Amino acid sequence: MSRNQTEQVFQDDLDYCYEAVEDVSRTFALTVAELDEPMSRDICVGYLLCRIADTIEDAGHIPPTEQRALLDQYNRVLDPDDDETIEAFRRAIDEWIPADSNDDWEVVAECERVFRTFEGLDEDSRAAIRPPVRELVSGMAMFVERYAEQGGLRLQTFGELEEYCWYAAGTVGTLVTGLLSRNVDDSVRETLQNNARSFAMLLQLVNVSKDVATDFEEENNVYIPQELLDAEELDTADIPDEDNSEAFVPVIRRVVDRAEGYLDGAQTWLEAMPEIRGNTLSAWAIPFLLAVGTIRELEERPEDVIEEGNVKVSRSEVTTIFATFAREEDPSLAELRSKIRQRPLDEY
C-alpha cells in the first residue's frame, strides 16, 4: 500500500471514530468537538478504546467468567509486548455481539478499526493513551470477577466506590495529563498530576449519584455503597420503587457531598492546564461546570433520582454554558462555578 493510500485509510478510520463517539456519547462528543488536532483525535480514539471495555463490563448477557476472559484478552491486545492480536479478540467477542446491536456494540464490532486508528497515532500519543486505558480494563476485569456470583456490581463501602470510580473514570484525568505533561515545566506537570484524580472522581461520582435507578434497571449494577443503604435500612431491591424516593434522599446526598469535595482539586487541574497540542480549556471546563450544575440539581431534588430515573441540568443552561466559552477570551472558571452553584446560568 502506498503512503497516500495508508494516509487515506487512516483518515477514513479516524472519520469513523469521530462519528462513533457522536453515536455512543453525545456529551463526550461535545468535549471532542471543543478540541483541536492532535488532541481531538487522541482523546476520541482513547475514549473509544475505553468504551469497548465498558460495553463488555456492562453486558448482562455475558457470564462473568467470560466477561473477565474477554477483558483480559483485550488488555493483552493493548500490551505492546504481548502477541495477542485485535483480530483474535474480535473473533472471541463475535458470539456475544447482540443480534439487535446498539451503538455501543457497533463500536465493539468495529474494534479492529478503532485499534488500527490507535496504532496510526504518533508514538508519544500511544505511549500516553495506553497505560490509563489498560488500567481501566484491568480494573473492570477485577470488579467483574469480584462480583461474579451476584451477576452485577454491588459495591459495599465508600472506599470501594472510589476505587471503582478511579478505574472507570481515572483514565480521563491521567490520559489528558499524560498527553500534555511532556510539554510543560515541572511545576505545571506536578500540579496536573496531583489534581487529575479530582477531575475524574468528580465526574464519576456525579454520574453515580444521578443514575442510581438507571444503572440498576439497565445494567443490574448498584454503585451506591451498601453501607449507606444499611444506614437508612434500605436494600437494592428498593431502588425501582418510587415510593422509596424520600428514603433514598440521605443516600443520594451523601454521594453528592463526596463529589462536591473534589470540586476544588478539579478546578485547580483545569486552571493549570496548558492549551497546547490542540487542547482547550472549554473542552474540560464545560463538563466540570455541568457537573457543578448537576450537583445543584441533585441537592434541590434528590428524590427525582428514583422517581424520574435521572437528574440533569436544562438544555437551556447547557446552551448558555457553551455560549460563554464561544467568546474570544476564556471566562473566569471560579466565577462561573460560583454562579452555577447558586442557580442555572441561563437565569442570570
Side-chain angles (χ1 to χ4, degrees):
M1 186 180 296
S2 69
R3 179 178 178 179
N4 286 343
Q5 289 174 316
T6 301
E7 290 176 351
Q8 186 59 53
V9 169
F10 174 78
Q11 187 59 53
D12 290 345
D13 289 341
L14 182 59
D15 289 343
Y16 163 76
C17 289
Y18 282 132
E19 293 171 5
V21 166
E22 291 185 6
D23 291 337
V24 299
S25 177
R26 292 181 181 179
T27 302
F28 201 84
L30 293 174
T31 294
V32 171
E34 288 291 314
L35 296 167
D36 296 320
E37 300 294 2
M39 196 70 171
S40 175
R41 67 190 184 202
D42 289 350
I43 296 299
C44 175
V45 174
Y47 176 80
L48 290 180
L49 290 174
C50 295
R51 192 77 181 205
I52 290 168
D54 187 56
T55 301
I56 295 170
E57 187 224 8
D58 290 340
H61 68 287
I62 304 179
T65 52
E66 292 294 333
Q67 283 178 299
R68 176 65 198 252
L70 288 166
L71 288 168
D72 286 343
Q73 184 178 7
Y74 183 53
N75 201 0
R76 294 196 302 275
V77 171
L78 293 164
D79 183 352
D81 298 322
D82 198 291
D83 293 333
E84 187 61 81
T85 65
I86 189 66
E87 291 79 15
F89 170 76
R90 177 61 181 83
R91 290 192 296 271
I93 196 68
D94 189 67
E95 66 176 298
W96 302 109
I97 297 177
D100 54 341
S101 184
N102 59 21
D103 291 328
D104 284 323
W105 281 103
E106 285 298 322
V107 172
V108 175
E110 294 290 345
C111 62
E112 293 173 83
R113 196 170 192 183
V114 175
F115 192 76
R116 189 167 64 224
T117 312
F118 168 69
E119 290 188 312
L121 300 178
D122 62 82
E123 184 177 349
D124 285 347
S125 295
R126 296 196 306 273
I129 292 169
R130 186 181 287 110
V133 174
R134 293 194 65 204
E135 186 174 15
L136 175 144
V137 176
S138 62
M140 288 186 170
M142 179 182 67
F143 271 92
V144 165
E145 183 174 51
R146 184 180 298 178
Y147 289 100
E149 295 184 3
Q150 284 87 341
L153 300 188
R154 298 291 185 271
L155 305 188
Q156 298 299 302
T157 66
F158 249 128
E160 189 178 30
L161 169 59
E162 294 210 336
E163 179 189 19
Y164 177 82
C165 287
W166 171 251
Y167 285 120
T171 306
V172 176
T174 54
L175 196 156
V176 175
T177 297
L179 288 168
L180 297 177
S181 60
R182 286 186 175 87
N183 307 95
V184 298
D185 61 44
D186 291 343
S187 62
V188 173
R189 182 182 301 110
E190 183 177 358
T191 302
L192 290 172
Q193 291 173 345
N194 289 344
N195 292 282
R197 181 177 186 273
S198 292
F199 181 80
M201 298 299 288
L202 166 68
L203 298 189
Q204 192 65 16
L205 285 170
V206 168
N207 285 339
V208 166
S209 303
K210 71 184 183 66
D211 292 334
V212 174
T214 303
D215 289 334
F216 180 70
E217 293 170 6
E218 295 184 1
E219 302 172 5
N220 191 31
N221 288 332
V222 180
Y223 302 106
I224 294 291
Q226 185 64 43
E227 65 180 2
L228 297 188
L229 299 178
D230 290 343
E232 303 300 326
E233 298 183 350
L234 293 165
D235 193 74
T236 56
D238 297 320
I239 293 174
D241 189 349
E242 293 182 9
D243 292 337
N244 291 316
S245 60
E246 289 297 330
F248 271 90
V249 167
V251 174
I252 302 300
R253 282 186 169 148
R254 285 285 302 280
V255 182
V256 172
D257 287 346
R258 185 64 67 97
E260 188 157 26
Y262 286 107
L263 282 171
D264 287 346
Q267 182 177 325
T268 298
W269 183 73
L270 288 166
E271 291 175 336
M273 179 184 294
E275 296 192 84
I276 57 176
R277 295 194 77 254
N279 189 51
T280 64
L281 175 64
S282 63
W284 311 108
I286 289 171
F288 169 79
L289 294 170
L290 291 175
V292 173
T294 305
I295 287 173
R296 181 198 66 232
E297 295 297 310
L298 284 164
E299 289 196 344
E300 291 179 358
R301 47 192 180 96
E303 65 281 355
D304 283 0
V305 171
I306 303 300
E307 292 179 6
E308 306 294 334
N310 203 333
V311 171
K312 296 180 179 180
V313 301
S314 71
R315 182 171 297 181
S316 177
E317 183 173 18
V318 173
T319 301
T320 304
I321 291 173
F322 269 89
T324 302
F325 284 90
R327 303 166 187 168
E328 288 187 13
E329 294 186 4
D330 288 333
S332 165
L333 204 56
E335 182 180 346
L336 283 173
R337 170 185 164 184
S338 178
K339 284 185 173 181
I340 292 171
R341 188 64 183 82
Q342 295 174 52
R343 65 177 188 267
L345 191 61
D346 56 313
E347 293 183 3
Y348 283 90

